[in-house]
Amino acid sequence: MDKIIINGGKKLKGVVTISGSKNAALPILISTLLTDDRCEIRNVPDLEDVNTVISLLRHLGKEIKKNKDRIIISKGDNICSDAPYDLVCKMRASVLVAGPLIARFKKAKISLPGGCAIGIRPINIHLDGFKRLGVKYVIKEGDISLKAKKMVASKIILDFPSVGATENLLMLSTLVKGETIIENAAMEPEIIDLANFLNKCGAKISGIGTKKIIVNGIKKLNGCTYTVMPDRIETGTYIISSAITSGDIKITNLIQEHNESLIEKIKLAGVKIYQKNSFLNIKGINKIKSIDIETQVFPGFPTDLQPLLMALMTIAKGESVITETIFENRLQTVGELVRMGADIKIKGNSAVISGVKKLTGTKVVASDLRSSAALILAGLAAKGKTEITGLEHLYRGYENIVGKLKNLGADIKLIKEGYLKKGESV
Ligand code: UD1
């Protein structure tokens, strides 16, 4: 079992460069299914989720070359419109192949992704939208088969501004004749990045970044070269890592407006933030003030950063309340933080945190992607040694987090499975 070992207490210092956004890269790579032309996607982070998308695209008949952070996608020979369970179950975002596949081939068969640690995550909003565009579907034996004889542009009002549903419908409607309007659309920056990519391929999308997206369908999309935006959740992770270690770090290659809600909150917690054009400087203070947060869709406080901010609040002065409104199970980092000495009580979908002087290092298990990052941050601040397992989640979404933290002065190491001799312990 791979594990991360951290000896806490080091103040982080130095410069960290943000990688390309996972949540933008995944739909952009998937949307290349909409064209047979060559696409070159740059600034793609080196992550397990990206590898899963590459396997999925290859399975669906694409030819793919990977050269560091560049991925070149061209038409292969064996086009197929079935996404099987062994690929879909690895990553929920696989469901995003539905939109492009129906747009191209008028049919798709996809294994239902099922729930995951952070919640049930149904796809009813995706399906309701597909139906409005003339797609019919049946669910049988865990698979969903979608078919569309003739697709019709339409006005779709989403029940909730789901990121995935907005992306799926956006991709599908680029090739549906007429004007499709997506109302109550998600406004997350990753959707803007996807729409910008599609427009660069010739799509006609307006209202990008607003609640009302208008798509005028065209017959064919071209290929293009596109650079993925920086990862705002990775940026947030390093902002909080400096705050939690009373550090002094500079973050480069970021888009500051993407993190405004976090920056506001972190300032309220007393952390000093200096915003310059090309970087952000975060100077932690000795005693963080407690703040309350409630997760919201963009531009509100992102659910992905909630477990990380919770880690910070465990050592703040006073009591803070963190309320999760997007995913029903995303307070599951609490149990592990309590094992590290945090004082947290759960009340409904809120966590009430009474700050303690210090966390103490111990063995903890990560249950999902963002909780693994939260436990790393807690370990950086804790007294003594923290040992984190369950790293398969971390590998899905953080490029070289151990190396980047080491560069900032953290005492952290990754022990790969098989590294230790039998009977040896670290
Ligand atoms: C994406 C992000 C994830 C982020 C989330 C919210 C990717 C790969 N993942 O996930 O990191 O935390 O946005 O910002 O980009 N829902 C339904 N029915 C649906 C669709 C969603 O009930 O058809 C519910 C979900 O269960 C959840 C909420 O809506 O409770 C938000 O989900 P959604 O915005 O779709 O998130 P994802 O696209 O899955």
Side-chain angles (χ1 to χ4, degrees), residues 23 93 121-126 160 162-164 303-304 326-327 330:
N23 287 353
R121 300 178 89 172
I123 56 165
N124 57 311
I125 304 172
H126 303 233
F160 175 84
S162 151
V163 172
T303 171
D304 296 69
I326 308 290
F327 287 107
R330 223 177 198 168

mmCIF file of all heavy atoms in Angstrom, residues 23 93 121-126 160 162-164 303-304 326-327 330, ligand 1:
data_model
loop_
_atom_site.group_PDB
_atom_site.id
_atom_site.type_symbol
_atom_site.label_atom_id
_atom_site.label_comp_id
_atom_site.label_asym_id
_atom_site.label_seq_id
_atom_site.Cartn_x
_atom_site.Cartn_y
_atom_site.Cartn_z
ATOM 1 N N ASN A 23 -10.331 19.450 -13.853
ATOM 2 C CA ASN A 23 -11.759 19.469 -14.197
ATOM 3 C C ASN A 23 -12.067 20.205 -15.502
ATOM 4 O O ASN A 23 -13.182 20.113 -16.012
ATOM 5 C CB ASN A 23 -12.575 20.065 -13.044
ATOM 6 C CG ASN A 23 -12.670 19.100 -11.878
ATOM 7 O OD1 ASN A 23 -12.236 17.954 -11.978
ATOM 8 N ND2 ASN A 23 -13.236 19.558 -10.773
ATOM 9 N N ALA A 93 -16.550 11.277 -14.282
ATOM 10 C CA ALA A 93 -16.603 12.205 -15.420
ATOM 11 C C ALA A 93 -16.723 11.457 -16.747
ATOM 12 O O ALA A 93 -17.030 12.055 -17.781
ATOM 13 C CB ALA A 93 -15.370 13.105 -15.420
ATOM 14 N N ARG A 121 -24.616 11.042 -6.456
ATOM 15 C CA ARG A 121 -24.302 11.652 -7.744
ATOM 16 C C ARG A 121 -25.108 11.073 -8.912
ATOM 17 O O ARG A 121 -24.551 10.442 -9.819
ATOM 18 C CB ARG A 121 -22.794 11.581 -8.024
ATOM 19 C CG ARG A 121 -22.014 12.302 -6.961
ATOM 20 C CD ARG A 121 -20.530 12.214 -7.186
ATOM 21 N NE ARG A 121 -20.013 13.290 -8.022
ATOM 22 C CZ ARG A 121 -18.719 13.489 -8.216
ATOM 23 N NH1 ARG A 121 -17.833 12.714 -7.661
ATOM 24 N NH2 ARG A 121 -18.320 14.479 -8.988
ATOM 25 N N PRO A 122 -26.421 11.283 -8.921
ATOM 26 C CA PRO A 122 -27.244 10.795 -10.029
ATOM 27 C C PRO A 122 -26.977 11.593 -11.308
ATOM 28 O O PRO A 122 -26.290 12.621 -11.274
ATOM 29 C CB PRO A 122 -28.676 11.026 -9.538
ATOM 30 C CG PRO A 122 -28.563 12.097 -8.515
ATOM 31 C CD PRO A 122 -27.187 12.030 -7.933
ATOM 32 N N ILE A 123 -27.537 11.116 -12.438
ATOM 33 C CA ILE A 123 -27.343 11.850 -13.696
ATOM 34 C C ILE A 123 -28.693 12.256 -14.307
ATOM 35 O O ILE A 123 -28.798 12.443 -15.512
ATOM 36 C CB ILE A 123 -26.489 11.062 -14.715
ATOM 37 C CG1 ILE A 123 -27.096 9.673 -14.993
ATOM 38 C CG2 ILE A 123 -25.061 10.944 -14.264
ATOM 39 C CD1 ILE A 123 -26.516 9.020 -16.244
ATOM 40 N N ASN A 124 -29.713 12.386 -13.443
ATOM 41 C CA ASN A 124 -31.054 12.728 -13.942
ATOM 42 C C ASN A 124 -31.084 14.065 -14.685
ATOM 43 O O ASN A 124 -31.829 14.216 -15.663
ATOM 44 C CB ASN A 124 -32.062 12.739 -12.779
ATOM 45 C CG ASN A 124 -31.660 13.697 -11.672
ATOM 46 O OD1 ASN A 124 -30.519 13.681 -11.223
ATOM 47 N ND2 ASN A 124 -32.567 14.544 -11.266
ATOM 48 N N ILE A 125 -30.274 15.024 -14.278
ATOM 49 C CA ILE A 125 -30.314 16.351 -14.930
ATOM 50 C C ILE A 125 -29.716 16.249 -16.346
ATOM 51 O O ILE A 125 -30.224 16.856 -17.290
ATOM 52 C CB ILE A 125 -29.589 17.419 -14.072
ATOM 53 C CG1 ILE A 125 -30.217 17.454 -12.663
ATOM 54 C CG2 ILE A 125 -29.659 18.797 -14.719
ATOM 55 C CD1 ILE A 125 -29.490 18.321 -11.658
ATOM 56 N N HIS A 126 -28.670 15.424 -16.492
ATOM 57 C CA HIS A 126 -28.097 15.177 -17.827
ATOM 58 C C HIS A 126 -29.206 14.576 -18.707
ATOM 59 O O HIS A 126 -29.438 15.021 -19.836
ATOM 60 C CB HIS A 126 -26.960 14.149 -17.784
ATOM 61 C CG HIS A 126 -25.816 14.483 -16.871
ATOM 62 N ND1 HIS A 126 -24.513 14.491 -17.294
ATOM 63 C CD2 HIS A 126 -25.745 14.792 -15.553
ATOM 64 C CE1 HIS A 126 -23.702 14.781 -16.286
ATOM 65 N NE2 HIS A 126 -24.445 14.949 -15.213
ATOM 66 N N PHE A 160 -30.934 22.144 -11.447
ATOM 67 C CA PHE A 160 -29.829 22.612 -10.589
ATOM 68 C C PHE A 160 -28.659 22.876 -11.528
ATOM 69 O O PHE A 160 -28.493 22.141 -12.497
ATOM 70 C CB PHE A 160 -29.490 21.506 -9.567
ATOM 71 C CG PHE A 160 -28.299 21.820 -8.711
ATOM 72 C CD1 PHE A 160 -28.430 22.604 -7.572
ATOM 73 C CD2 PHE A 160 -27.025 21.352 -9.056
ATOM 74 C CE1 PHE A 160 -27.323 22.910 -6.784
ATOM 75 C CE2 PHE A 160 -25.925 21.662 -8.278
ATOM 76 C CZ PHE A 160 -26.085 22.442 -7.136
ATOM 77 N N SER A 162 -25.916 21.946 -12.489
ATOM 78 C CA SER A 162 -24.928 20.862 -12.430
ATOM 79 C C SER A 162 -23.801 21.129 -13.431
ATOM 80 O O SER A 162 -24.055 21.426 -14.607
ATOM 81 C CB SER A 162 -25.621 19.534 -12.746
ATOM 82 O OG SER A 162 -24.715 18.621 -13.344
ATOM 83 N N VAL A 163 -22.582 20.988 -12.962
ATOM 84 C CA VAL A 163 -21.411 21.201 -13.829
ATOM 85 C C VAL A 163 -21.398 20.161 -14.948
ATOM 86 O O VAL A 163 -21.332 20.479 -16.137
ATOM 87 C CB VAL A 163 -20.110 21.115 -12.979
ATOM 88 C CG1 VAL A 163 -18.876 21.128 -13.861
ATOM 89 C CG2 VAL A 163 -20.067 22.252 -11.965
ATOM 90 N N GLY A 164 -21.519 18.885 -14.567
ATOM 91 C CA GLY A 164 -21.453 17.806 -15.555
ATOM 92 C C GLY A 164 -22.586 17.889 -16.567
ATOM 93 O O GLY A 164 -22.371 17.705 -17.769
ATOM 94 N N THR A 303 -17.111 23.492 -3.166
ATOM 95 C CA THR A 303 -17.198 22.281 -2.335
ATOM 96 C C THR A 303 -15.868 21.533 -2.310
ATOM 97 O O THR A 303 -15.506 20.932 -1.308
ATOM 98 C CB THR A 303 -18.337 21.365 -2.848
ATOM 99 O OG1 THR A 303 -18.269 20.119 -2.158
ATOM 100 C CG2 THR A 303 -18.277 21.100 -4.343
ATOM 101 N N ASP A 304 -15.100 21.605 -3.414
ATOM 102 C CA ASP A 304 -13.830 20.868 -3.461
ATOM 103 C C ASP A 304 -12.819 21.388 -2.438
ATOM 104 O O ASP A 304 -11.900 20.674 -2.068
ATOM 105 C CB ASP A 304 -13.219 20.966 -4.870
ATOM 106 C CG ASP A 304 -14.100 20.308 -5.900
ATOM 107 O OD1 ASP A 304 -15.183 20.844 -6.167
ATOM 108 O OD2 ASP A 304 -13.737 19.263 -6.425
ATOM 109 N N ILE A 326 -23.535 21.039 -1.425
ATOM 110 C CA ILE A 326 -23.509 20.476 -2.785
ATOM 111 C C ILE A 326 -23.524 18.937 -2.771
ATOM 112 O O ILE A 326 -24.306 18.321 -3.481
ATOM 113 C CB ILE A 326 -22.264 20.976 -3.568
ATOM 114 C CG1 ILE A 326 -22.156 22.505 -3.510
ATOM 115 C CG2 ILE A 326 -22.294 20.472 -5.026
ATOM 116 C CD1 ILE A 326 -23.181 23.275 -4.287
ATOM 117 N N PHE A 327 -22.663 18.331 -1.986
ATOM 118 C CA PHE A 327 -22.610 16.855 -1.939
ATOM 119 C C PHE A 327 -22.972 16.372 -0.544
ATOM 120 O O PHE A 327 -22.486 16.919 0.454
ATOM 121 C CB PHE A 327 -21.212 16.350 -2.310
ATOM 122 C CG PHE A 327 -20.916 16.479 -3.777
ATOM 123 C CD1 PHE A 327 -20.035 17.449 -4.237
ATOM 124 C CD2 PHE A 327 -21.534 15.662 -4.703
ATOM 125 C CE1 PHE A 327 -19.765 17.590 -5.585
ATOM 126 C CE2 PHE A 327 -21.271 15.787 -6.059
ATOM 127 C CZ PHE A 327 -20.393 16.753 -6.504
ATOM 128 N N ARG A 330 -19.880 14.921 1.905
ATOM 129 C CA ARG A 330 -18.550 15.499 1.832
ATOM 130 C C ARG A 330 -18.009 16.006 3.170
ATOM 131 O O ARG A 330 -17.100 16.812 3.228
ATOM 132 C CB ARG A 330 -18.495 16.599 0.784
ATOM 133 C CG ARG A 330 -17.224 16.444 -0.010
ATOM 134 C CD ARG A 330 -17.072 17.412 -1.120
ATOM 135 N NE ARG A 330 -16.062 16.894 -2.056
ATOM 136 C CZ ARG A 330 -15.858 17.386 -3.246
ATOM 137 N NH1 ARG A 330 -16.584 18.387 -3.683
ATOM 138 N NH2 ARG A 330 -14.931 16.880 -4.018
HETATM 139 C C1 UD1 B 1 -17.974 18.554 -10.861
HETATM 140 C C2 UD1 B 1 -16.516 18.417 -10.490
HETATM 141 C C3 UD1 B 1 -16.361 18.211 -8.981
HETATM 142 C C4 UD1 B 1 -17.064 19.341 -8.241
HETATM 143 C C5 UD1 B 1 -18.502 19.480 -8.706
HETATM 144 C C6 UD1 B 1 -19.201 20.683 -8.080
HETATM 145 C C7 UD1 B 1 -15.537 17.429 -12.467
HETATM 146 C C8 UD1 B 1 -14.898 16.244 -13.100
HETATM 147 N N1 UD1 B 1 -15.947 17.282 -11.203
HETATM 148 O O1 UD1 B 1 -18.616 17.316 -10.524
HETATM 149 O O2 UD1 B 1 -14.964 18.219 -8.669
HETATM 150 O O3 UD1 B 1 -17.035 19.055 -6.854
HETATM 151 O O4 UD1 B 1 -18.546 19.653 -10.137
HETATM 152 O O5 UD1 B 1 -18.515 21.843 -8.342
HETATM 153 O O6 UD1 B 1 -15.618 18.492 -13.057
HETATM 154 N N2 UD1 B 1 -26.688 16.175 -9.432
HETATM 155 C C9 UD1 B 1 -27.929 15.569 -9.576
HETATM 156 N N3 UD1 B 1 -28.289 15.113 -10.813
HETATM 157 C C10 UD1 B 1 -27.480 15.245 -11.900
HETATM 158 C C11 UD1 B 1 -26.229 15.883 -11.758
HETATM 159 C C12 UD1 B 1 -25.857 16.333 -10.494
HETATM 160 O O7 UD1 B 1 -28.666 15.431 -8.606
HETATM 161 O O8 UD1 B 1 -27.875 14.823 -13.003
HETATM 162 C C13 UD1 B 1 -26.269 16.646 -8.088
HETATM 163 C C14 UD1 B 1 -25.018 15.889 -7.596
HETATM 164 O O9 UD1 B 1 -25.382 14.665 -6.993
HETATM 165 C C15 UD1 B 1 -24.422 16.872 -6.611
HETATM 166 C C16 UD1 B 1 -24.752 18.232 -7.274
HETATM 167 O O10 UD1 B 1 -25.821 17.994 -8.187
HETATM 168 O O11 UD1 B 1 -25.076 16.778 -5.373
HETATM 169 C C17 UD1 B 1 -23.583 18.853 -8.016
HETATM 170 O O12 UD1 B 1 -23.145 17.958 -9.023
HETATM 171 P P1 UD1 B 1 -22.428 18.446 -10.370
HETATM 172 O O13 UD1 B 1 -22.396 19.932 -10.397
HETATM 173 O O14 UD1 B 1 -23.036 17.728 -11.500
HETATM 174 O O15 UD1 B 1 -20.956 17.914 -10.130
HETATM 175 P P2 UD1 B 1 -20.081 17.016 -11.099
HETATM 176 O O16 UD1 B 1 -20.169 17.504 -12.492
HETATM 177 O O17 UD1 B 1 -20.334 15.572 -10.819
#
